[in-house]
Amino acid sequence: MHVTHDSAAGAAPTIDFNQFLSVDIRVGTIVDAQPFPQARKPAWRLWIDFGPTIGVRKCSVQITENHPLDSLVGQQVAAVVNFPPRQIGPVVSEVLTLGFPDANGKVVLVQPSKPVPNGGRLF
């Protein structure tokens, strides 16, 4: 699942804490990463292990500029796990992997600074 945002835009409208809590952001470990040649823009397909409760979920990510395919397996990432699945070309993306734009607007993955247990929820 990929969503594009304008990094030059101002802050989003104010929300209350319960709205924040409704977005389930978890940490998982990338267990497989494959090319996604059918994507319109360069992308990888990831399989991310979110621990025994959530399990392994798939997604499509446009991170090819900053994250070489051979560097991804074993890395931990943050993702929204409670959005509905989204069809991306021939594949279904089950989570929204999170990132920030670099100086050129290319995605840099959000990752914990130290290893943490898979499935941990952001707070």
Side-chain angles (χ1 to χ4, degrees):
M1 185 174 293
H2 178 77
V3 178
T4 327
H5 292 286
D6 180 2
S7 61
T14 300
I15 62 170
D16 68 35
F17 191 67
N18 286 329
Q19 288 173 297
F20 168 73
L21 289 177
S22 69
V23 180
D24 192 355
I25 300 171
R26 304 283 179 137
V27 65
T29 299
I30 299 169
V31 294
D32 194 9
Q34 299 292 326
F36 186 12
Q38 303 92 339
R40 285 182 297 194
K41 295 182 181 178
W44 307 134
R45 290 185 65 202
L46 303 181
W47 286 259
I48 305 169
D49 182 0
F50 291 97
T53 303
I54 297 171
V56 175
R57 301 274 180 97
K58 301 176 296 214
C59 67
S60 165
V61 290
Q62 295 175 1
I63 61 170
T64 58
E65 293 86 356
N66 286 314
H67 299 280
L69 189 62
D70 62 0
S71 72
L72 292 169
V73 171
Q75 289 193 41
Q76 288 195 297
V77 295
V80 176
V81 298
N82 66 332
F83 285 148
R86 183 172 174 202
Q87 191 75 37
I88 310 288
V91 302
V92 174
S93 203
E94 300 171 313
V95 298
L96 174 64
T97 306
L98 301 175
F100 289 108
D102 67 10
N104 297 314
K106 306 302 182 186
V107 178
V108 175
L109 291 170
V110 173
Q111 300 179 290
S113 58
K114 295 181 181 182
V116 294
N118 287 337
R121 186 169 181 174
L122 180 76
F123 57 82

